[in-house]
């Protein structure tokens, strides 16, 4: 029987478009060789984080890690903590797996899937200590704003995955998106703003972490970087 068009469920609006970007042969090989060590297959079922990492430790989630430079650097610098990265861009995932294997890091795992599904299905309530979202796609055109990942429902979902006292750290170099993020985060009753005056973090906090690839690109274009830090109540 033919499906009636008006009864089809609406297509979910995604915050990304998968582009058939160029993947190097080394990145492709890394996906095959190192997935068993670092990769976590997406399944609509809650992950057992202590089982996944083989220990009980604080866990940071980085959403949309790009080429994973920043995530790997943190995993190496903070060996007492576990790091979970979620990305949909396969060349970036391959890049990270290659570098992770070379560094021999043990406290890092990677999921190749939409972070919204991962938060909904794979991460239980109160399971994370920190969520980082650095330079998410700004979708600058008004008609594309609905694609921005930072929306009230997304923020409420990720806040529910944090333990009490857990951190939410966002950064962007797109001023209108920064203003929007601030409104959305300040509007989430589960979160409290750590910045003085309830605004953005000061420049000292920006300098405290290494720049990501998209941050460097934004800075070359003369964009101001905005950082937001909140804590789960
Ligand atoms: C503008 S790039 C920033 C990459 C990196 N954080 C940086 O600062 O260099 C945004 C990244 O988020 C990823 N992304 C967007 N929406 C996502 C989602 N729903 N789940 C997982 N990754 C997503 C994209 O594939 C892209 O690599």
């Amino acid at each position: 029987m033919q499906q009636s068009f008006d009864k089809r469920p609406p297509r979910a609006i995604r915050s990304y478009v998968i582009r058939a970007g160029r993947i190097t042969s080394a990145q492709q090989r890394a996906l095959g060789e190192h997935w068993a060590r670092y990769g976590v297959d997406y399944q609509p079922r809650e992950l057992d984080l202590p089982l996944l990492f083989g220990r009980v430790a604080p866990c940071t989630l980085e959403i949309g890690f790009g080429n994973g430079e920043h995530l790997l650097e943190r995993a190496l610098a903070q060996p007492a903590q576990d790091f979970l990265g979620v990305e949909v861009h396969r060349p970036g995932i391959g890049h990270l797996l290659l570098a992770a294997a070379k560094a021999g890091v043990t406290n890092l795992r990677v999921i190749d899937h939409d972070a919204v599904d991962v938060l909904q299905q794979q991460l239980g309530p109160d399971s994370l200590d920190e969520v980082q979202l650095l330079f998410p796609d700004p979708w600058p055109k008004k008609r594309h704003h609905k694609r921005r990942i930072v929306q009230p429902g997304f923020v409420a979902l990720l806040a529910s995955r944090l333990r009490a006292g857990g951190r939410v750290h966002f950064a962007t170099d797109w001023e209108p998106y920064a203003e929007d993020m601030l409104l959305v985060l300040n509007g989430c009753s589960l979160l409290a703003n750590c910045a003085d005056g309830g605004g953005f973090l000061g420049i000292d906090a920006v300098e405290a972490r290494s720049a990501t690839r998209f941050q460097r690109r934004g800075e070359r274009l003369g964009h101001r970087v905005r950082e937001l830090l909140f804590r789960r109540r």
Side-chain angles (χ1 to χ4, degrees):
M1 202 176 77
Q2 212 179 0
Q3 194 179 12
S4 130
F5 280 102
D6 45 1
K7 285 200 180 135
R8 274 194 305 194
R11 233 182 63 135
I13 298 166
R14 301 283 181 199
S15 56
Y16 56 87
V17 175
I18 303 262
R19 294 193 178 83
R22 225 165 49 85
I23 183 158
T24 67
S25 51
Q27 288 165 352
Q28 186 69 57
R29 233 183 6 261
L31 288 172
E33 284 174 8
H34 306 307
W35 186 255
R37 184 168 173 198
Y38 294 111
V40 180
D41 292 324
Y42 174 74
Q43 288 182 334
R45 147 153 47 93
E46 197 175 316
L47 285 170
D48 182 335
L49 293 176
L51 187 69
L52 182 66
F53 288 99
R55 64 175 180 175
V56 176
C59 186
T60 288
L61 172 73
E62 186 175 340
I63 295 173
F65 58 73
N67 66 12
E69 260 177 336
H70 171 265
L71 183 59
L72 178 60
E73 198 179 295
R74 280 205 64 193
L76 288 168
Q78 293 171 261
Q81 197 160 324
D82 292 328
F83 292 85
L84 185 59
V86 184
E87 182 48 82
V88 290
H89 183 59
R90 290 178 68 80
I93 297 171
H95 187 277
L96 174 59
L97 294 190
L98 197 60
K102 206 181 243 177
V105 70
T106 56
N107 55 341
L108 172 71
R109 298 290 183 279
V110 174
I111 304 181
D112 172 7
H113 196 81
D114 188 328
V116 177
D117 296 340
V118 172
L119 282 165
Q120 262 165 359
Q121 306 290 340
Q122 289 195 291
L123 295 165
D126 309 324
S127 57
L128 299 170
D129 294 82
E130 183 182 27
V131 178
Q132 280 196 307
L133 176 72
L134 305 176
F135 306 90
D137 300 289
W139 293 107
K141 291 184 184 151
K142 192 150 198 275
R143 69 174 193 278
H144 289 149
H145 284 184
K146 57 182 180 287
R147 285 189 172 276
R148 287 178 173 173
I149 196 165
V150 179
Q151 308 277 349
F154 169 78
V155 168
L157 172 65
L158 76 77
S160 75
R161 271 40 190 164
L162 284 171
R163 293 186 218 292
R167 288 160 42 113
V168 175
H169 178 198
F170 288 1
T172 181
D173 63 318
W174 192 250
E175 190 67 21
Y177 198 12
E179 298 287 347
D180 202 46
M181 285 179 182
L182 186 61
L183 275 179
V184 173
L185 286 165
N186 274 333
C188 178
S189 59
L190 291 174
L191 298 174
N193 196 335
C194 300
D196 293 338
F200 301 108
L201 284 186
I203 188 76
D204 45 333
V206 177
E207 285 166 354
R209 89 180 151 66
S210 65
T212 72
R213 180 160 170 253
F214 272 82
Q215 176 174 353
R216 289 194 292 272
R217 181 177 167 272
E219 284 170 345
R220 277 197 303 275
L221 294 168
H223 297 174
R224 181 219 289 247
V225 169
R226 294 293 205 180
E227 308 257 346
L228 302 100
L229 184 66
F230 283 68
R231 273 198 194 279
R232 168 81 203 261
R233 292 183 201 275

